[in-house]
Amino acid sequence: MGFLWTIAELLVALVFIIASFLLTAVVSEAYRRRHNNTHVDAPAFFEDPNSLKQVPCPHIHDPAEKYISLVIPAFNEEHRLPGALDETINYLQERAAKDKSFTYEVVIVDDGSADATKRVAFDFVKKYTVDNVRVILLGRNHGKGEAIRKGMLHSRGELLLMLDADGATKVTDLEKLENQIHAVARKEFRLGESTSSDSSFRISDIPLAAFGSRAHLEEKALATRKWYRNFLMKGFHLVVLLTAGSGIRDTQCGFKMFTRAAARKLFTNIRLKRQFMRWCFDVELVFLCKWFGIPVIEISVNWTEIPGSKVNPLSIPNMLWELALMSMGYRTRMWRICS
């Protein structure tokens, strides 16, 4: 019996040592990253491939110059990007032809691609001009989070939409998010019918976010996915609930819209932007929305699984590590949030 007690005591001591080591590691790394919301050293300009001249790069703190900006992060997307861009720009041009007040830009952020993504993107700039399509080159791969952050910080729209390069969500669904943002703005700020007559009102000044959601497809997905993928998904939802809180059923859909005021607060503070951290990046956005009190509207969108869009299970330990850092950094105030 004494031997069993000795073994139990050793196990408890071992667990305590491991837990202490992990806690120390998390605290140390969170402290090291306390200033990690600074921007990467990519050039702050666009290049016009027609004239080869540098175009001044706007900033999120500047006044809006377009009605909507679409930010597309792209890493080795030479095959899927052309189809998605054709569909997107055709839709935007149709809206612009019907409504002269509708102005747009598409910002493609090449996240250090090793294929012909850069060439494909610049072909669209040549075709549609640098005023409507712009390309930001990050030089090396920083991860999807930093690519989106860079695009958001240098966009000109009153509304800013992030969407994936694979075209999994139809671009026409942006109207669902756009309409809800306008509806909530009228309701929350009691603008009502006076919006059209108030020349000082701009939707860009009201902090709001609208998240596309695939939660309505979950029941069908559960029936068709393998058991271990469902297990991982449920586990991830639990971790998200503990880290960022409740309220959003689908944090991971890559189709999200922000007003300029909301984007200014969120993307100047985002920290989880490394490679393979796309899941954590979206969770941090949810956390920051709640921190700032930015209303988030979750809206069902059409979604199609695109070949080549896969999740690497080996990234799960890194994901848990990053979420632990996020929780420690924000909750202990080591990670200061600039308002």
Side-chain angles (χ1 to χ4, degrees), residues 145-307:
E146 180 59 32
I148 293 173
R149 180 178 185 267
K150 182 78 171 181
M152 289 284 178
L153 289 180
H154 296 300
S155 293
R156 297 174 289 168
E158 293 187 65
L159 298 176
L160 298 93
L161 176 75
M162 54 178 267
L163 65 164
D164 292 334
D166 58 10
T169 304
K170 294 296 183 184
V171 68
T172 52
D173 277 356
L174 75 81
E175 293 181 35
K176 297 180 180 179
L177 280 61
E178 174 190 0
N179 292 338
Q180 283 298 312
I181 281 182
H182 279 280
V184 171
R186 289 194 297 270
K187 180 179 178 181
E188 290 275 330
F189 299 90
R190 300 177 182 176
L191 295 170
E193 297 303 322
S194 64
T195 299
S196 58
S197 59
D198 185 358
S199 59
S200 65
F201 168 74
R202 298 193 73 175
I203 193 68
S204 60
D205 297 330
I206 303 170
L208 291 170
F211 289 6
S213 175
R214 304 156 300 178
H216 60 295
L217 304 172
E218 184 173 347
E219 185 175 341
K220 181 180 178 181
L222 287 171
T224 56
R225 283 199 194 109
K226 294 185 181 297
W227 67 270
Y228 60 85
R229 290 193 65 186
N230 289 331
F231 176 78
L232 292 174
M233 182 190 70
K234 292 295 185 182
F236 176 73
H237 286 172
L238 177 61
V239 172
V240 171
L241 180 65
L242 296 174
T243 306
S246 60
I248 303 297
R249 294 179 63 193
D250 181 10
T251 61
Q252 301 309 300
C253 182
F255 201 75
K256 294 180 173 69
M257 182 178 287
F258 309 89
T259 61
R260 194 169 188 81
R264 187 179 297 127
K265 291 175 179 289
L266 298 172
F267 292 97
T268 53
N269 283 290
I270 205 84
R271 284 176 166 84
L272 301 183
K273 53 203 180 185
R274 296 167 57 194
Q275 296 93 324
F276 313 117
M277 291 301 110
R278 59 172 295 172
W279 287 5
C280 304
F281 168 79
D282 291 298
V283 176
E284 188 178 12
L285 279 177
V286 174
F287 181 90
L288 288 172
C289 282
K290 292 185 177 183
W291 182 285
F292 284 114
I294 296 174
V296 178
I297 316 142
E298 191 170 13
I299 302 158
S300 297
V301 294
N302 297 306
W303 183 81
T304 305
E305 188 163 351
I306 305 296

Side-chain angles (χ1 to χ4, degrees), residues 79-205:
H79 299 298
R80 299 192 296 184
L81 189 60
L85 285 177
D86 278 329
E87 179 182 346
T88 297
I89 296 176
N90 286 339
Y91 163 77
L92 295 171
Q93 286 187 319
E94 288 178 6
R95 278 196 65 175
K98 296 175 182 177
D99 180 2
K100 298 303 179 183
S101 66
F102 180 84
T103 55
Y104 68 89
E105 67 172 350
V106 177
V107 180
I108 306 160
V109 187
D110 181 4
D111 188 22
S113 299
D115 62 359
T117 297
K118 174 182 174 181
R119 177 185 58 77
V120 169
F122 274 125
D123 285 344
F124 278 86
V125 180
K126 292 176 182 177
K127 184 176 181 180
Y128 296 103
T129 77
V130 74
D131 185 53
N132 292 322
V133 181
R134 296 184 167 188
V135 180
I136 300 177
L137 305 175
L138 295 190
R140 63 179 179 84
N141 182 229
H142 291 274
K144 180 184 176 184
E146 180 59 32
I148 293 173
R149 180 178 185 267
K150 182 78 171 181
M152 289 284 178
L153 289 180
H154 296 300
S155 293
R156 297 174 289 168
E158 293 187 65
L159 298 176
L160 298 93
L161 176 75
M162 54 178 267
L163 65 164
D164 292 334
D166 58 10
T169 304
K170 294 296 183 184
V171 68
T172 52
D173 277 356
L174 75 81
E175 293 181 35
K176 297 180 180 179
L177 280 61
E178 174 190 0
N179 292 338
Q180 283 298 312
I181 281 182
H182 279 280
V184 171
R186 289 194 297 270
K187 180 179 178 181
E188 290 275 330
F189 299 90
R190 300 177 182 176
L191 295 170
E193 297 303 322
S194 64
T195 299
S196 58
S197 59
D198 185 358
S199 59
S200 65
F201 168 74
R202 298 193 73 175
I203 193 68
S204 60
D205 297 330

